[in-house]
Amino acid sequence: MMKLKLSDEKIYQGSLLLVNADHPLRENGEERLLPVNVQYPDILLMREAVYILHLIFDKLHCRDSIVPVSGYRSAEEQTEIFQSSLRENGEEYTRKYVAVPNHSEHQTGLAIDLGLKQEVIDFICPEFPYEGICDRFRRTAPAYGFVERYPKGKEEITGIGHEPWHFRYVGYPHSEIMSEYGLTLEEYMAWIKQFSWKSPLRWTKGSLVTEVFYTEAFQTGTTAITLPEDSLYMISGNNVDGFIVTRRCQQSDGLTIPAGMTDRWRRDYE
């Protein structure tokens, strides 16, 4: 067995950060941001999310019909957008669709608003219907690591109104698990806490088998995680109180690993 030691700062790093009204963002890793598209140089995401988004666009051939509207925002930008919406749209509308500064997923660099390409696009609420190429994107996204973050009927859980245009990169296989069980990120983070390294969630997709479990951060400031030797794994903080560990257990020869997974599996954690 091998032991990994994680400092408390790692709680606030990774693709599974829960950022909402109750859990503000601590870090954003601006040095890892890249433009989503050369045609939109000011719309940025974390590099792994950019790579995955391009794979989805390539699969669906939708670059001419779906456009990025808003990606990473600094705290200053989020403040400006929030205040501007208050002036233009009023408090009820703004609090329904715009997170307060430091509580917005856009500040993680893992969230993007997408819109159906039109002559005029609403920056706050771009059109992204449940039909045509937009719905094909929505149904394809979980196989690559993205989820529709604020679905209809979950407003009381997320604290944000229904936003069919807002997608969040959470990584694979979490995206497919969330999609299959109909879970928001809030629900998934609460649900996954029942699984430990001794009794993990075992997820099978074709010949790919992974295990997922939660580890609470130790009060000592350093958390030790034990894994079998030579494990391939990913670790993300939850931005609250601990870590989500994902370990690849089995892969048959010739199996194509879901896009974006290969380059993120690691044999050590730094």
Side-chain angles (χ1 to χ4, degrees), residues 17 19 24-30 33 44-46 70-79 99-111 166:
L17 301 181
V19 178
L25 181 68
R26 303 286 186 94
E27 297 188 13
N28 55 35
E30 291 185 27
L33 296 168
L44 309 175
L45 285 180
M46 288 291 190
S70 181
Y72 167 76
R73 301 171 188 166
S74 66
E76 292 75 18
E77 289 173 314
Q78 186 66 25
T79 299
V100 298
N102 296 320
H103 294 264
S104 170
E105 281 203 329
H106 283 284
Q107 290 178 237
T108 67
L110 297 167
H166 182 106

Side-chain angles (χ1 to χ4, degrees), residues 63-86:
R63 295 180 187 275
D64 294 330
S65 50
I66 294 177
V67 296
V69 177
S70 181
Y72 167 76
R73 301 171 188 166
S74 66
E76 292 75 18
E77 289 173 314
Q78 186 66 25
T79 299
E80 183 178 346
I81 291 169
F82 188 84
Q83 294 298 333
S84 176
S85 183
L86 281 176

Side-chain angles (χ1 to χ4, degrees), residues 160-201:
I160 296 290
H162 177 213
E163 295 192 358
W165 56 84
H166 182 106
F167 291 85
R168 164 67 188 270
Y169 180 72
V170 295
Y172 192 95
H174 308 288
S175 51
E176 284 221 303
I177 300 172
M178 290 171 64
S179 179
E180 178 168 316
Y181 286 91
L183 301 175
T184 63
L185 188 56
E186 283 82 3
E187 293 170 309
Y188 185 60
M189 288 294 96
W191 180 69
I192 210 71
K193 285 187 174 183
Q194 69 183 293
F195 300 101
S196 66
W197 72 273
K198 290 184 178 180
S199 182
L201 168 66

Side-chain angles (χ1 to χ4, degrees), residues 5-140:
K5 293 184 178 181
L6 309 177
S7 62
D8 276 358
E9 66 182 17
K10 298 293 186 181
I11 295 173
Y12 312 109
Q13 300 173 14
S15 61
L16 286 168
L17 301 181
L18 177 62
V19 178
N20 57 23
D22 296 323
H23 304 292
L25 181 68
R26 303 286 186 94
E27 297 188 13
N28 55 35
E30 291 185 27
E31 71 281 355
R32 299 172 58 205
L33 296 168
L34 292 175
V36 171
N37 189 306
V38 293
Q39 295 181 335
Y40 306 91
D42 295 330
I43 300 180
L44 309 175
L45 285 180
M46 288 291 190
R47 63 168 66 100
E48 60 266 33
V50 170
Y51 170 68
I52 299 303
L53 191 63
H54 282 190
L55 290 177
I56 302 174
F57 277 20
D58 288 343
K59 179 178 177 62
L60 299 178
H61 306 288
C62 62
R63 295 180 187 275
D64 294 330
S65 50
I66 294 177
V67 296
V69 177
S70 181
Y72 167 76
R73 301 171 188 166
S74 66
E76 292 75 18
E77 289 173 314
Q78 186 66 25
T79 299
E80 183 178 346
I81 291 169
F82 188 84
Q83 294 298 333
S84 176
S85 183
L86 281 176
R87 293 191 299 270
E88 297 174 8
N89 305 309
E91 183 172 354
E92 182 178 355
Y93 177 97
T94 298
R95 293 195 176 277
K96 183 177 182 180
Y97 294 114
V98 184
V100 298
N102 296 320
H103 294 264
S104 170
E105 281 203 329
H106 283 284
Q107 290 178 237
T108 67
L110 297 167
I112 187 165
D113 292 345
L114 299 172
L116 186 64
K117 190 173 183 179
Q118 298 175 322
E119 190 170 328
V120 178
I121 298 177
D122 188 323
F123 179 79
I124 300 296
C125 297
E127 185 175 352
F128 206 82
Y130 287 87
E131 60 183 15
I133 190 61
C134 293
D135 203 45
R136 286 177 60 200
F137 179 96
R138 182 178 289 107
R139 289 184 283 107
T140 301

